[in-house]
């Protein structure tokens, strides 16, 4: 009879251990997924700050009498597209992230053309408001990069955790799926050619 109680106690203890492990692992995945969602909000916030600064920058540049309208139009259109591309952070898949990155990349490209064009306008280069906005924009670009890196680190840890055995059993049972990570833009791996021949 004593042996039955010992076996029963071992089985009950084993069952509690398995349930405890299952619940603990599930809670860890919930926390990790929540942290990646929270960090995604920080990424979006940084992009929103950039969008707001670009609006102010465009208004400042628009004041220059003969500034190229095509350049301004390209920035305004790219900004509108970038701000209309939204993502559900709870369902962040590669296709959504790719569309988001493409829209943001088009905005970055249009903004670069705008800033290069400004070089031909001495009154803008001397405009204190423009210079301040340009400086804030540079700081925001750095902030975007930092937030994207933090997001990739947090989301990457989550993606690894849900694939490890035996925790992957809990991930499959709880429908924990991978989240998309930021990738380098196409062509980023190509080193630009610099030619100093004048």
């Amino acid at each position: 009879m004593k042996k039955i109680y010992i076996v029963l106690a071992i089985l009950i203890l084993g069952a509690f251990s398995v349930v405890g492990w299952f619940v603990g692992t599930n809670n860890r995945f919930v926390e990790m997924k929540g942290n990646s969602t929270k960090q995604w909000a920080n990424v979006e916030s940084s992009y929103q700050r950039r969008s707001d600064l670009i609006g102010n920058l465009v208004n400042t540049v628009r004041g220059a009498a003969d500034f190229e309208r095509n350049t301004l139009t390209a920035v305004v259109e790219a900004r509108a597209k970038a701000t209309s591309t939204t993502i559900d952070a709870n369902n962040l898949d590669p296709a959504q992230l790719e569309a988001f990155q493409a829209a943001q990349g088009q905005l970055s490209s249009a903004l670069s053309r705008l800033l290069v064009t400004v070089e031909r306008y001495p009154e803008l280069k001397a405009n204190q408001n423009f210079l301040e906005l340009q400086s804030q924009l540079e700081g925001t670009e750095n902030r975007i990069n930092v937030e994207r890196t933090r997001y990739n680190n947090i989301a990457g840890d989550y993606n690894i955790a849900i694939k490890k055995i035996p925790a992957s059993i809990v991930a499959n049972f709880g429908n924990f799926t991978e989240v998309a990570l930021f990738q380098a833009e196409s062509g980023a791996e190509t080193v630009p050619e610099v030619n100093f021949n004048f």
Side-chain angles (χ1 to χ4, degrees), residues 7-188:
V7 170
L8 192 58
I10 291 171
L11 289 175
I12 291 171
L13 186 61
F16 275 121
S17 296
V18 169
V19 169
W21 169 81
F22 189 92
V23 169
T25 302
N26 184 75
N27 289 344
R28 184 168 57 95
F29 290 162
V30 167
E31 184 177 348
M32 293 176 85
K33 174 78 174 190
N35 286 337
S36 69
T37 302
K38 183 170 63 174
Q39 184 56 40
W40 176 254
N42 292 340
V43 170
E44 286 186 318
S45 176
S46 294
Y47 276 116
Q48 182 61 52
R49 175 174 165 71
R50 178 175 80 159
S51 179
D52 294 344
L53 287 171
I54 289 171
N56 293 335
L57 190 71
V58 165
N59 288 335
T60 301
V61 171
R62 194 174 273 147
D66 58 345
F67 195 82
E68 287 114 19
R69 299 294 171 215
N70 291 342
T71 305
L72 279 175
T73 301
V75 172
V76 170
E77 288 173 357
R79 179 177 176 249
K81 183 174 182 183
T83 56
S84 69
T85 304
T86 57
I87 292 180
D88 176 10
N90 293 315
N91 189 22
L92 193 57
D93 65 24
Q96 286 182 325
L97 189 57
E98 187 177 330
F100 182 83
Q101 264 189 279
Q104 294 298 335
Q106 288 173 354
L107 179 55
S108 293
S109 178
L111 182 60
S112 294
R113 286 191 302 277
L114 173 75
L115 294 176
V116 166
T117 305
V118 163
E119 292 298 315
R120 295 191 296 249
Y121 295 85
E123 73 276 9
L124 275 174
K125 290 188 339 184
N127 181 315
Q128 190 59 41
N129 191 32
F130 176 81
L131 294 174
E132 186 177 316
L133 286 167
Q134 188 176 18
S135 175
Q136 287 183 29
L137 202 52
E138 289 169 2
T140 299
E141 291 295 337
N142 289 335
R143 187 178 300 162
I144 287 169
N145 189 43
V146 167
E147 296 299 350
R148 283 173 45 155
T149 300
R150 286 180 182 158
Y151 168 78
N152 273 357
N153 289 337
I154 290 169
D157 289 345
Y158 164 77
N159 287 346
I160 291 167
I162 64 171
K163 289 182 179 179
K164 287 184 175 180
I165 297 174
S168 60
I169 297 166
V170 177
N172 288 335
F173 185 78
N175 276 337
F176 291 99
T177 57
E178 269 190 87
V179 293
L181 301 176
F182 279 99
Q183 305 289 325
E185 293 180 29
S186 62

